[in-house]
Amino acid sequence: MTTVLMLIGLRKTIMSIFITWGALHLNFYKLVLLLLLNTKPAHRFIPTKVATAITLLSQMGPSLPSQQSNIIEENVNEKINQQFEELITTLPSDKGLIVPTLINYKGFWYPPISIFKGVLLMQDQFKARSTDIFLCSAPKTGTTWLKALTFATMNRSKFEFATHPLLTTVPHNCMPYLDAYITDHDVEALPSPRLLSSHSAYSLLPKSTRESPDCKIVYICRNPKDVFVSDYLFSMKLRAPMFPPISMEEAFDLFCKGVCLYGPYFEHVLGYWKARLESPEKILFLKYEEMRRDPVKHVKHLAEFLGKPFSAEEEKAGVIEEILKLCSFDKLTSLEVSKTGKVAFVPEIAIGNETFYRKGKVGDSKNHLTPEMIERLDKITEEKLKGTGFAFGE
Ligand code: A3P
């Protein structure tokens, strides 16, 4: 009994030293996040619904949802934990939308939660396979749609359209989101070809992925005005009520100075664009607007790039159209799974599946941004793209 009381006393003393130190060195939100999130998974507060979503994720394979993937206690070792703690207290920080604080790691903004541990792990441990397929994107650029299209294209001979897994599984659960998945799953246990996704900038992808001549990267981008609006509205749905609201004007200022999840957005896009110019056979660069305009052409191109071109028989049988119908905004939003389920990429945040769909339109930002905002972002876009040879889709 005495020993237990002593241990409790010691824990309290350590906590108060930690809190005092934290209050001196971090802003309030960083401290709250540290206390809430930087504990072992077993000790974290995980609401039941989140735990259910985690279980669901763990039961899905990358390209074969019926297979069990290996969920493991935690890949995060002492070295990564130490690196994480050191970095989140020393890196430059600014305001975030979903979580109140973002930290800048090697030029890009991350939330100081387990995703960031995942990014450190990805760089430290991930070993690319020549057959890997990486689907990369900044948030709100059409990731959900592209995941569905890629999954359906790659697995078209495995599943009937009438009983397809995408009818009952949200696209995010068909393809692991490596930045988060790697923290507590054995990525080595995933069967080849691994279909993986990442929101990280090109320069922060695992070195072996960047250097492998064979593994493929599919990148999607979208015009920055629509990305900003989509991101702001999405983030406000997920921002915890305990944190003060952020106005669209303030979020816009942050976006314009480059502060947004996984951003700066322009640097994210241009990083992949430059890499694509150097290795066109390795990186396929897609634009949301162009895909919306001519999806058949782009799905055909995607299949060719991934080494699974549609045969003449498939084309005649209307397989491309079937894939497009299955992955269409109207179809996906009509499904029960899109209305009820949740995805927990990380234990800290569960995202309602319906949140991934809003309007799916090109140019909706004009209904939300003032003419001044449009002018300002257009000017920034022009400056950022000058001399790059790149233009966003319209
Ligand atoms: P809006 O908010 O403009 O509607 P991400 O998947 O990268 O988070 O991007 C989300 C954006 O893609 C949202 O844009 C969402 O509505 C749109 N989207 C989701 N599924 C789609 C689909 N099947 N077809 C077209 N757009 C889709």
Side-chain angles (χ1 to χ4, degrees), residues 137-146 148 172 199 220 222 226-227 229-231 233-234 288 292 326-330 332-333 355-362 364:
S137 59
K140 314 323 292 173
T141 56
T143 319
T144 314
W145 187 30
L146 188 57
H172 292 286
H199 276 322
I220 185 164
R222 188 180 187 189
D226 286 353
V227 170
V229 167
S230 182
D231 188 45
L233 299 174
F234 172 81
Y288 179 84
R292 293 297 274 154
L326 175 70
C327 304
S328 69
F329 185 86
D330 289 348
L332 292 183
T333 48
T355 325
F356 295 110
Y357 310 98
R358 194 179 62 88
K359 286 193 176 166
K361 297 251 182 304
V362 172
D364 180 55

Side-chain angles (χ1 to χ4, degrees), residues 7 58 129 154 219 271 304 311 383:
L7 281 174
S58 72
R129 289 183 202 154
M154 288 299 288
Y219 184 76
E304 278 159 26
S311 66
E383 280 162 15

